[in-house]
Amino acid sequence: MSDYFLEEITQSLTHLENQQLLRSLRPLDHGNDPVIQKEENRLVIFSSNNYLGLANDPRLKQKAIKAMKEYGVGSGGARFTTGNFPLHEHLENEIALLKKKETAVLFSSGFLANMGVICGLMGKGDIIFSDEWNHASIIDGCRLSGAQIVIYQHNDMKDLEEKLVMTTSSSRKKLIITDGVFSMDGDLAPLPEITQLGKKYDAWVMVDDAHGTGVLGANGGGTAEYFGLEKDVQLSVGTLSKAVGAEGGFVACKKEVAHYLRNKARPFIFQTSLPPGIVAAAIEGLQIIQREPGRRQKLLDNGTYFRRELKNVGYHVPNGITPIIPVLIGKAEDALHLANHLEEQGIFAPAIRPPSVPEGSCRIRFTVMATHKKEDITQAIQAFRRWQKP
Ligand SMILES: *Cc1c(COP(=O)(O)O)cnc(C)c1O
């Protein structure tokens, strides 16, 4: 008897492969450094979220090891049972300070922070306005919440306002959700306009600043700090697994909201808390971010340099200020061909295809790090110069 279940899976795989959309995992032994040097071969990594080089910073490692020796490897429980160490509360305080909020609530990842916050606050009868390019975890959180979902066109304030107008008469809770920095294009949400609209139409604003935290703003507070709008963003979501160099997610908000979420957000209530080593490393990462603004400056300078040089070679690179630099190519097969070419030239950056980006806007997505040297970037530019479209 044939196994129809397995057959269906195999067919789907073949279909994906024919469309050049099948992905496979590969190990990358880089120890979080931007360069892998194996004898003569040099591979420069341009796809890490370890923006400030903190994921392998000796100080974070040392704090993690110390906490692990003191408290153990796993935390052994959820926050409401045995998993609430003083370290967790210390970390929440550090996050609140960076985000200029009263307090913060920790989650095990940024993904779960979005799921937990959205589902904790919003439900049947409420309404969410969500940017069409928001992160998958926001989309899933919205769907699971049961709230009405209104998608507005990417960063299109006219569209957002039209959609807000249509719903003003009702008294339901209204929430506008946007990424702070969009992960595929590296562009910023227009927070001045979004928070203005929030006030005008009585909606709260939630910003998922996974890529802005530690990167933008004078203290690394993120997109809201960059615009000076911390007070106008009611829910400041982020991750500790990108610039901060550790792991975990959070929302920074008012005390009452945090208290409510601790009682309502299921990923907070039912999940084992973050391990002590990770928590200690995250605290150190957040402190370094505020103490050492030079890292942030180096990161942004690397981005500016890379963008300018790529444009000089004639590639289509949107304007921007973040370390995320998309090089727009178009067709999936061309993007793949370029990615392979770059790798032969010692440059590692992935081709991004649907479903991560819309059809026809396939790209190579670069992220620079504070720890890239000028010669690393020059090597990438040289490789672009040598590419010939098939
Ligand atoms: C990476 C990312 C997340 C998920 O954060 P993790 O800590 O990796 O789970 C959420 N939102 C955005 C915009 C992201 O880029």
Side-chain angles (χ1 to χ4, degrees), residues 109-112 114 135 137 179 181 183 208 210-211 239 241-242 248:
S109 71
F111 201 107
L112 287 162
N114 278 328
H135 190 263
S137 53
D179 282 13
V181 174
S183 43
D208 171 10
H211 291 281
T239 178
S241 41
K242 289 175 178 155

Side-chain angles (χ1 to χ4, degrees), residues 40 94 101 123 138 193-194 222 280:
E40 294 300 280
E94 287 291 333
K101 289 280 166 202
I138 295 177
E193 289 83 2
I194 291 178

Side-chain angles (χ1 to χ4, degrees), residues 156-158 160-162 164 176 191-203 205:
D156 184 337
M157 295 298 103
K158 202 167 150 277
L160 174 58
E161 180 155 22
E162 278 169 17
L164 282 160
I176 304 170
L191 289 190
E193 289 83 2
I194 291 178
T195 52
Q196 208 58 45
L197 288 174
K199 279 182 203 162
K200 187 168 171 189
Y201 295 98
D202 253 337
V205 175

